Amino acid sequence: MNPTRREVLKDMAVTVGAVALAASGVEASAPGKKRKWGMAIDLDRCTACQACVVACRVENNVPVAGPSEIPADRGIFWMDMLAIQEGEHPEVRTQYIPTPCNHCDNAPCVKVCPVGATFQNEEGIVAQIWGRCIGCRYCTTACPYSRRYFNWTTPTFAESMKAQLNPDVATRPRGVVEKCTLCHQRIRGVKDKARNEGREIEDADVVHLTACSQACPAEAITFGDMADNDSTVSELARSPRAFRLLEELGTHPKVVYLREAKWKE
Amino acid sequence: MSTRNRNRLVVAGFAALALFAGGAAFAYSRYKAFMAPVPVTQPLPFNHKHHMDEKLGLTCDACHKGVNEGPHAGIPSVNTCIKLCHTDPQGTNPEEAKIREYAAKGEAIPWQQANRLPGHVYFSHVGHVKFGKMECKECHGDMKERTEPVLLSTTHRLDMDTCMECHKEKGVSNDCLQCHK
């Protein structure tokens, strides 16, 4: 007997449903589930002391531009402090915002790189391989947050600073773009450490792992696994105070900001 | 198209080809120079074979302790040499007395690092030796048989393809950030 039209449709619906269920099930319960590193920055705690800016510079061997380059807008800041004016005179208020790379899940910079130098790694970090970058600067243009910087000159370090260069981070040559990597060298270090002790990484290992987060005296910066619902950072991301920069662009940043007052851009 | 124009096009094509070939050759020579091992001089004629044979029976990690602990294999301090054996003269090589000279001056033996990776590569010894269960000789060659000091890199055969092929074979992540820094 030929199946009726209704039966065929029912079968199709069941099949589609089963496939969809299987697909979602795989994602939710895959062994060794993928991490998604992210950050929460509490603007109500931040005092704009810029300890994060300095710590980031030291940790990641970011060259100091100096008085000749800064006026030409050629300074490099993996972590910067934005000052945004709110309100109208005389009721003006300045909101300071520490801005690392947002590590967008849907990153515009990754899409425009013609040589695959920038990419999103398997744990959600938007990274850059310096040796592969050809310096076309498409990514600096594509980034809506201007979180990418071009090395206009050969980075130089004062003789007194050379001994403090971090051996875990390569210095970049002239002509390549550089950016925040969420201190992936520290993530690698903590992974090795945990593995040596025969355990998995816990939230406590990473909550203040990045240099900016470690340096923050107000504990305003929290780092962690966004894919883990129980991590401190996901808990903060669910807070009613949470917002993301330029959310309407659909870039899905993994850096979440927290502020009691409503944020209008 | 006139013959003249066609000839011009052919000449331009050849010029472009020659330019490309020249550029490629230049890039390749730079790459070769970059990958070639740089010879070093060592302060003492250290004999790996003698230290690792049946009589003394030292293993690699007896001196290069870092292989079980962190990214760097490390090199023992002069005090370790003194404490283990070299308090009194050993063997017949007159150079051996230098160990006690360095120790008396409180100086480290100025060993030169022969095996180097490019500055943008991160390599973890603990990751490969302890977690990956690899033998030292897979990259360094059989140091047990080596009587001469290391004057030239023993790992210069390593390039990115070698790393990536092995990672692929063993099911280790080939994510760029796994090894690049």
Side-chain angles (χ1 to χ4, degrees):
Chain A
M1 193 185 85
N2 283 341
T4 61
R5 187 185 153 116
R6 176 178 279 242
E7 275 169 348
V8 171
L9 280 176
K10 200 174 134 199
D11 277 1
M12 273 168 69
V14 166
T15 316
V16 167
V19 167
L21 261 179
S24 66
V26 164
E27 211 161 88
S29 64
K33 66 172 179 59
K34 286 273 181 272
R35 292 192 185 88
K36 274 226 178 291
W37 298 116
M39 200 181 262
I41 302 178
D42 193 332
L43 298 178
D44 296 334
R45 276 173 173 267
C46 174
T47 62
C49 72
Q50 304 200 46
C52 52
V53 179
V54 177
C56 172
R57 205 164 260 289
V58 174
E59 168 73 18
N60 293 300
N61 303 337
V62 179
V64 179
S68 60
E69 297 295 309
I70 290 287
D73 206 9
R74 291 178 176 184
I76 296 177
F77 299 88
W78 286 19
M79 170 66 112
D80 202 355
M81 189 67 74
L82 286 188
I84 292 183
Q85 304 280 340
E86 289 175 298
E88 305 234 330
H89 181 76
E91 309 251 325
V92 179
R93 183 178 180 237
T94 305
Q95 174 66 61
Y96 287 93
I97 307 182
T99 47
C101 166
N102 278 301
H103 294 274
C104 309
D105 253 353
N106 184 15
C109 54
V110 170
K111 291 180 193 161
V112 297
C113 182
V115 291
T118 183
F119 61 98
Q120 194 175 60
N121 96 328
E122 49 194 35
E123 297 188 339
I125 300 175
V126 176
Q128 175 118 353
I129 300 302
W130 326 122
R132 191 161 277 216
C133 175
I134 56 169
C136 70
R137 290 178 283 138
Y138 284 3
C139 56
T140 51
T141 312
C143 177
Y145 307 99
S146 304
R147 300 321 307 149
R148 295 176 150 272
Y149 291 91
F150 184 64
N151 281 283
W152 288 92
T153 50
T154 305
T156 48
F157 297 92
E159 205 49 51
S160 55
M161 281 177 70
K162 279 192 181 149
Q164 73 162 35
L165 288 180
N166 186 351
D168 291 334
V169 182
T171 52
R172 282 73 57 183
R174 180 174 65 117
V176 307
V177 170
E178 60 180 71
K179 67 178 291 296
C180 157
T181 62
L182 281 183
C183 286
H184 84 265
Q185 69 279 7
R186 290 193 176 201
I187 300 173
R188 196 156 51 194
V190 88
K191 272 184 191 164
D192 269 3
K193 183 170 165 260
R195 201 168 171 193
N196 220 351
E197 291 164 8
R199 61 181 176 87
E200 284 287 308
I201 305 178
E202 291 158 18
D203 191 40
D205 290 325
V206 296
V207 72
H208 292 304
L209 183 74
T210 59
C212 51
S213 171
Q214 186 190 27
C216 182
E219 294 187 2
I221 305 178
T222 315
F223 180 74
D225 183 4
M226 287 273 187
D228 173 8
N229 274 333
D230 303 325
S231 69
T232 320
V233 77
S234 335
E235 210 169 287
L236 289 171
R238 287 194 297 268
S239 150
R241 296 192 295 137
F243 70 94
R244 290 163 166 86
L245 292 181
L246 301 178
E247 232 162 320
E248 68 278 11
L249 296 182
T251 50
H252 303 295
K254 286 197 289 295
V255 173
V256 178
Y257 291 90
L258 300 153
R259 194 171 92 143
E260 194 67 59
K262 187 145 172 49
W263 176 255
K264 272 189 289 188
E265 278 184 291
Chain B
M1 193 189 283
S2 72
T3 323
R4 205 172 138 198
N5 274 354
R6 195 180 304 147
N7 282 351
R8 271 188 186 165
L9 208 68
V10 167
V11 168
F14 272 114
L17 208 69
L19 214 65
F20 178 76
F26 176 69
Y28 186 70
S29 70
R30 285 286 300 271
Y31 171 75
K32 274 287 168 203
F34 179 71
M35 292 299 285
V38 181
V40 293
T41 48
Q42 300 292 3
L44 291 169
F46 184 84
N47 184 337
H48 272 93
K49 185 174 180 178
H50 174 72
H51 287 81
M52 298 178 81
D53 67 7
E54 294 82 34
K55 202 169 132 225
L56 293 175
L58 290 173
T59 53
C60 304
D61 60 353
C63 293
H64 304 290
K65 280 193 163 64
V67 294
N68 292 320
E69 290 157 13
H72 306 290
I75 219 148
S77 73
V78 64
N79 291 332
T80 314
C81 312
I82 294 287
K83 240 182 272 166
L84 287 180
C85 275
H86 293 275
T87 334
D88 305 313
Q90 306 280 332
T92 53
N93 194 330
E95 295 270 298
E96 190 260 354
K98 279 192 189 171
I99 301 174
R100 283 177 296 283
E101 280 172 32
Y102 284 121
K105 279 189 279 185
E107 277 176 22
I109 305 175
W111 298 114
Q112 299 298 307
Q113 193 177 351
N115 297 310
R116 285 178 180 278
L117 283 167
H120 55 275
V121 176
Y122 169 86
F123 176 87
S124 166
H125 272 95
V126 70
H128 288 81
V129 176
K130 193 172 173 187
F131 309 148
K133 308 229 175 330
M134 276 175 78
E135 298 246 13
C136 304
K137 65 177 166 200
E138 285 184 48
C139 297
H140 290 278
D142 203 355
M143 296 303 284
K144 251 185 192 162
E145 298 304 321
R146 196 183 178 97
T147 54
E148 298 292 309
V150 183
L151 301 177
L152 212 57
S153 169
T154 57
T155 60
H156 59 269
R157 291 170 302 280
L158 290 181
D159 55 11
M160 199 166 106
D161 288 341
T162 317
C163 301
M164 288 187 71
E165 262 163 43
C166 189
H167 272 219
K168 204 169 164 191
E169 229 170 74
K170 301 197 171 166
V172 184
S173 165
N174 257 336
D175 189 87
C176 307
L177 289 189
Q178 188 84 358
C179 310
H180 282 288
K181 62 182 187 186

